[in-house]
């Protein structure tokens, strides 16, 4: 005698159940791709700037730190003496093979560099394996579903990477040399075990985008394309609104930074960080802001002082460039007003890449500085991935 044979009626209900389960489960189960956390040994040397730092600088005085940054960035192109500095350590990074296979993309790796006070988790919607609200803020998850492998690093000095001297070593020039070495290793098959990549797409956010600009200037031909998010043409606005964040030594901010050199800073004002980095209320979920505030990482004073030196014309770089900066970005736009059209900092930024085979930009409306973490994140991801697709990636 046949056992439990479903009637059409039960079959219909089962189908409904399965359908509704999958519908309801999808948003909660969506997670980042499966990644491995690796450590990549790097030795990188570059000429760093020797800034005129007062011998008695009080690192615990936020006004003194902000004033120093404003003075040095305000000097514009005033040349500072340089001295060779070497980073010799390991870079921690999450490597994520793509979830889907797309012809010609499995050998194109997206290399992610976060902004200051952010580690690799910025690219995962602030959590791994589960980001805030699943994967909707995960740049990595989006790229993975488009068929791209990704490498999201903890920059030198943040997360689990080696912490160099935050003033003399942790500057744009040495960090650019690290980015260059990473890209070389990815292409040589010595960064990710048993895997060689043909092309590296550099994806930056904020300070990470400044490193992209500097990479294009100093090592044209290294990256095959640049996606620069939370990026502008001048460092002056960065300095103007820095004081509201109330920078203090990270070791005074949280016990997880105990023993850090006082040149490693954290932003100690919660409303100040919100105003500076997140922009207009309503453009982000307050819960994701809170998560970001609670798990913030550090910024080296040398990074803040050297930003302007990274924002330079890249005269020989032909790689296509795509810029994504919100119209309410308070870091790269004065008074958080970027405007639109050819006078916007986004459009002006293309002047830094005169030989680029293409330079285009997207201005998410109402969005502040944290491009991948705003409500507009999915739109920004779609825009830059479409750009890559039209440029042969
Ligand atoms: C450094 O600045 C902090 C904060 O303004 C102040 O409390 C402290 O007394 C200062 N230290 C010195 C040695 O001036
Ligand atoms: C893949 O790359 C080959 C060689 O570069 C090219 O001919 C082909 O059109 C590409 N296919 C896709 C789907 O982009
Ligand atoms: C650093 O490593 C620890 C131990 O493996 C891990 O728990 C933590 O998540 C890592 N930090 C980041 C930012 O990935």
């Amino acid at each position: 005698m046949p056992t439990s044979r479903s009637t059409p009626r039960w079959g219909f209900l089962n189908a409904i159940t399965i359908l509704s389960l999958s519908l309801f489960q999808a948003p909660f189960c969506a997670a980042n791709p499966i990644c491995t956390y690796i450590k990549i040994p790097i030795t990188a040397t570059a000429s760093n700037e020797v800034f005129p730092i007062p011998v008695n600088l009080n690192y615990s005085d936020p006004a003194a730190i902000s004033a120093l940054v404003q003075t040095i960035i305000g000097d514009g192109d005033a040349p500072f003496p340089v001295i060779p500095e070497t980073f010799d350590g390991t870079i921690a990074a999450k490597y994520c093979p793509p979830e889907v296979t797309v012809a010609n993309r499995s050998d194109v790796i997206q290399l992610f560099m976060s902004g200051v006070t952010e580690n690799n988790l910025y690219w995962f919607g602030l959590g791994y394996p589960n980001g805030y609200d699943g994967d909707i803020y995960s740049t990595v998850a989006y790229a993975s579903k488009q068929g791209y492998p990704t490498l999201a690093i903890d920059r030198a000095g943040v997360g689990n990477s080696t912490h160099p001297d935050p003033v003399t070593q942790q500057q744009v020039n040495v960090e650019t040399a690290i980015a260059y070495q990473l890209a070389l290793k990815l292409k040589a098959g010595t960064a990710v075990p048993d895997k060689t990549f043909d092309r590296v797409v550099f994806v930056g956010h904020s300070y990470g985008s400044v490193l992209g600009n500097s990479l294009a200037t100093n090592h044209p031909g290294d990256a095959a394309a640049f996606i620069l998010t939370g990026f502008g043409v001048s460092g002056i606005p960065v300095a103007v609104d820095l004081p509201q964040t109330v920078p203090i030594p990270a070791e005074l901010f949280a016990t997880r930074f105990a023993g850090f050199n006082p040149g490693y800073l954290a932003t100690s004002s919660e409303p100040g960080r919100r105003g500076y980095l997140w922009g207009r209320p309503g453009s982000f979920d307050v819960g994701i802001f809170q998560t970001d505030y609670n798990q913030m990482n550090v910024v080296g004073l040398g990074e803040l002082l050297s930003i302007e030196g990274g924002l330079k014309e890249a005269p020989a770089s032909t790689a296509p460039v795509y810029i994504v900066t919100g119209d309410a970005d308070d870091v790269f736009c004065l008074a958080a007003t970027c405007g639109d059209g050819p006078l916007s900092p986004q459009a002006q930024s293309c002047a830094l890449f005169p030989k680029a085979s293409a330079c285009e930009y997207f201005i998410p409306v109402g969005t502040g500085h944290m491009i991948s973490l705003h409500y507009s994140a999915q739109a920004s991801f779609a825009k830059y991935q479409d750009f890559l697709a039209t440029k042969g990636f």
Side-chain angles (χ1 to χ4, degrees):
M1 204 180 168
T3 51
S4 66
R5 188 168 160 268
S6 297
T7 64
R9 178 186 157 83
W10 279 107
F12 173 72
L13 282 183
N14 281 341
I16 294 278
T17 310
I18 289 162
L19 182 65
S20 51
L21 270 181
S22 54
L23 275 178
F24 282 112
Q25 278 177 358
F28 300 106
C29 289
N32 286 298
I34 295 164
C35 312
T36 44
Y37 203 33
I38 58 178
K39 291 212 161 178
I40 306 167
I42 296 278
T43 304
T45 300
S47 293
N48 270 359
E49 293 172 282
V50 181
F51 295 112
I53 295 175
V55 281
N56 59 348
L57 176 66
N58 181 354
Y59 284 89
S60 302
D61 181 353
I65 295 293
S66 296
L68 179 68
V69 174
Q70 288 178 343
T71 303
I72 287 180
I73 289 187
D75 275 354
D77 290 335
F80 296 102
V82 295
I83 190 170
E85 291 283 355
T86 298
F87 173 87
D88 189 8
T90 56
I91 293 294
K94 283 201 189 84
Y95 169 66
C96 316
E99 291 155 271
V100 297
T101 304
V102 175
N104 292 12
R105 287 188 182 164
S106 55
D107 294 330
V108 177
I109 190 161
Q110 295 193 15
L111 171 61
F112 292 102
M113 301 251 176
S114 63
V116 301
T117 75
E118 299 291 333
N119 56 33
N120 75 82
L121 294 175
Y122 173 82
W123 303 107
F124 294 87
L126 300 185
Y128 177 84
N130 297 300
Y132 187 89
D133 256 354
D135 67 1
I136 59 173
Y137 300 107
S138 174
T139 322
V140 167
Y142 198 101
S144 177
K145 289 177 183 67
Q146 301 289 313
Y148 295 98
T150 62
L151 188 79
I153 70 159
D154 288 340
R155 284 181 300 95
V158 305
N160 290 318
S161 291
T162 301
H163 290 50
D165 184 287
V167 180
T168 60
Q169 291 183 312
Q170 199 188 15
Q171 296 185 13
V172 163
N173 290 339
V174 159
E175 289 191 69
T176 301
I178 294 170
Y180 178 56
Q181 293 297 331
L182 278 171
L184 288 181
K185 282 180 174 255
L186 285 166
K187 290 186 272 192
T190 52
V192 174
D194 305 321
K195 184 77 186 128
T196 300
F197 301 95
D198 293 340
R199 291 183 286 177
V200 174
V201 172
F202 184 103
V203 185
H205 173 240
S206 191
Y207 180 82
S209 296
V210 176
L211 295 179
N213 183 172
S214 178
L215 187 66
T217 304
N218 293 295
H219 302 283
D222 185 44
F226 291 94
I227 309 298
L228 307 178
T229 71
F231 180 69
V233 74
S234 162
I236 297 213
V238 177
V240 166
D241 283 333
L242 179 67
Q244 66 176 298
T245 68
V246 191
I248 61 167
E251 63 172 349
L252 302 181
F253 178 73
T255 52
R256 65 182 180 278
F257 303 125
F260 275 44
N261 179 311
Y264 278 111
L265 307 168
T267 61
S268 70
S269 164
E270 193 172 323
R273 183 178 174 93
R274 191 166 54 232
Y276 189 58
L277 297 182
W278 292 77
R280 290 184 204 146
S283 69
F284 59 90
D285 181 329
V286 288
I288 197 170
F289 160 72
Q290 201 63 54
T291 302
D292 176 62
Y293 185 80
N294 293 340
Q295 68 185 40
M296 91 173 72
N297 216 275
V298 296
V299 49
L301 179 59
E303 296 186 311
L304 294 174
L305 298 177
S306 63
I307 282 175
E308 195 72 17
L311 293 165
K312 268 199 197 127
E313 188 177 296
S317 179
T318 57
V321 178
Y322 196 71
I323 293 159
V324 183
T325 303
D327 70 351
D329 187 313
D330 193 33
V331 177
F332 280 102
C333 310
L334 286 170
T337 310
C338 296
D340 206 343
L343 293 180
S344 64
Q346 293 89 335
Q348 301 277 309
S349 299
C350 282
L352 298 171
F353 306 95
K355 293 273 168 56
S357 61
C359 183
E360 296 174 19
Y361 57 90
F362 172 55
I363 306 180
V365 173
T367 298
H369 188 60
M370 305 299 274
I371 293 298
S372 294
L373 309 179
H374 280 270
Y375 288 135
S376 56
Q378 288 282 319
S380 297
F381 301 157
K383 282 285 191 180
Y384 97 68
Q385 298 290 356
D386 286 353
F387 175 81
L388 287 177
T390 63
K391 303 301 168 211
F393 293 88

